Amino acid sequence: MLDFLGNLERTHRCGTLRAADAGKQVVLMGWVNRRRDHGNLIFLDLRDRSGICQIVLDKELTPGGHARGEQVRSEYVVAAIGKVRLRAPEAINLKMETGEIEIEATELRILNDARLTPFSPAEEAIKDEEVRLKYRYVDLRRAEMQRNFRLRHEITLAIRANLSQQGFLEIETPILTKSTPEGARDFLVPSRVHAGEFYALPQSPQIFKQILMISGFDRYFQIARCFRDEDLRADRQLEFTQIDLEMSFPRRESVFAVVEQFLAAGFAAAGVTLPTPFPRITYDDSMRQFGSDKPDLRLPGLTDVRPAFTDENLATLQIDPALPVVALRIPNVGELSRKEREDNHPLFDQKKGAKFIDDFKRLAKSFPEAAAKVRELTGASDADFVIVVAGDPAHHIKASDTKFPGRLSEREINVYAAAGNFRTELAKKYADRHGAFRMTEETVEAAHVHGAADPIDGSKAFYPIWIVDFPMFEYELASGKWVPAHHPFTAPYEADMANLVSDPASVRADCYDLAMNGLELGSGSIRIHRKDVQQQIFASLGISDEEARKRFGFFLDALEYGTPPHGGIALGLDRIIMLLAGAANLREVIAFPKTAKAIDLMADAPTTVTEQQLRELHVRVALKS
RNA sequence: GGGGACGUAGCUCAGUUGGUCAGAGCGCUGCCCUGUCACGGCAGAGGUCGCGGGUUCGAGCCCCGUCGUCCCCGCCA
């Protein structure tokens, strides 16, 4: 039998009661976390989002409440009415925040029963994520998830407040819109009113926020949902949230200052101080030093070990002497058996035209001097695991071999990237041995305990870094054309403008990425605000006026009506939360995420729709058999 | 599209060379228990070993295929 709530009002939350509340008459409501039945005495741990409180049901004192207590099971929803009392000294539980008190219940109302849950929200996350996601409502009851979403709320709130303080207005832009010029696939929504036509969900509010600058709003921001129909990863979902902002009359440095401020505010809300300003690195240096444009500075970088080898060495080893020869070092891994090394081989991306040497004993046997020099150059201790990565001359890949002065060739980038990926994959695998991530974990844990009121130093746990000086264009091998590496409204450096047509390889883009601990947190740019520059860019891309007008017509119109110099950035909010929650993937900080195969296991989406719906939308489905 | 890991009870897992191997802990159900807080005690229920096919006298174990989850590459500038 279930009881009615009646006009009963909750007076307190479970986790908030302390010794000072002793004697108070209270009404608590929540879920039964655990029940301990001692026969004539029953203990209930009652849980709500604030925490847990022990309810005592004594058969002698309250026979009715005790009878109800016998019926109760895990996750039943109950109301406990009674008095807060101090526990006897020997019954105090220091592991509980409310461990000094308990509720001597006079009445227990069962507001709802519950089926046996497939796993207990009172415990740590189960490994089977399929079950967690299917029963997401149960999973979200777990303290860790409750904490993650409270954290998300606090960080978001702090960032909003900070941006507002910095003079930014939050303005919403459409969800049903037109395809935006980010490179991803669009999610399309068929129009019922306009047969055969489609809206696109925004990949970002890019064009709208630039138009807001033309409209004179000067500083705009939005906590914006974005949609990209691409394959998912640990740090990529189909829909995600960006802290999107744009400002008028900015220099790059002013954008950086704004971001550093609001990010520090967000971190502070999570109990972590983040020193500003953030360091910078050029794209080329980032590739050379880390083999990545989102470097993780917690680990040693790559070392150029080309000088360790003679030309004969390289010839014997079948290494391309024109490409980089780098070493990666994972500290304190110890000596690996042949089997262990072979198990690591799938972590190396074979398709990048690079090869690696991870058998150092063998290398030392054939090339003792080179091997010694490599270890010397990398500064490796005996316990450090060192791998040499180099270009494979035998491996023909689809990449431009052409070397343009002053910038890395595609093949060079590929070798660096192969080394960089290997570095991060191995670092993930041997995290326990090198311990480079431990400080981050400890800081996150400590921050959860200390809270925003008493923030702790994050400088050894979080390594933000600006990546700058990206090349403006990429050489497309198939067409033999230079194509923009970024969206076509990204401004070139004013100093490089003269070379747009004559030497596109040398032109740098005035855009920037922000990375932290191996994650790309965001990217932005100074935009093109002048029609003549925009035309030059289009011309250099071989885009005709007509074509440009068709793709970006309304925006090009807007540009002609008094566009201020402007620029901005967008940061991935989910990724920021993920870092501060100490989560391994975005699903831990998104309430209802999708699986790697883009499925919502709880809602069971996507699904087919009725013929009627399709007809109204003028859509016919043609499945490939 | 490609590579890798995993899939045995509700959950976490063990299962040797193919031969009583259908197992453990937790959870669950029933009974007992007035100071537990991962309560305890006794008893019990619970399995298409992801699915399909093959090899074999015999398959949880070997082979092929397939599905699902996760990680990575491609893709996402």
Side-chain angles (χ1 to χ4, degrees), chain A residues 170-184:
Chain A
E170 183 164 20
I171 300 172
E172 289 168 278
T173 53
I175 294 293
L176 292 174
T177 178
K178 190 174 170 171
S179 186
T180 40
E182 310 283 325

Side-chain angles (χ1 to χ4, degrees), chain A residues 35 71 105 140 154 159 192 276 280 368 442 502 561 573:
Chain A
R35 186 180 73 122
Q71 293 167 29
L140 289 172
E154 299 291 353
I159 289 174
R192 175 183 57 81
T276 58
R280 295 103 205 265
E442 285 169 7
S502 59
Y561 287 92
L573 176 65

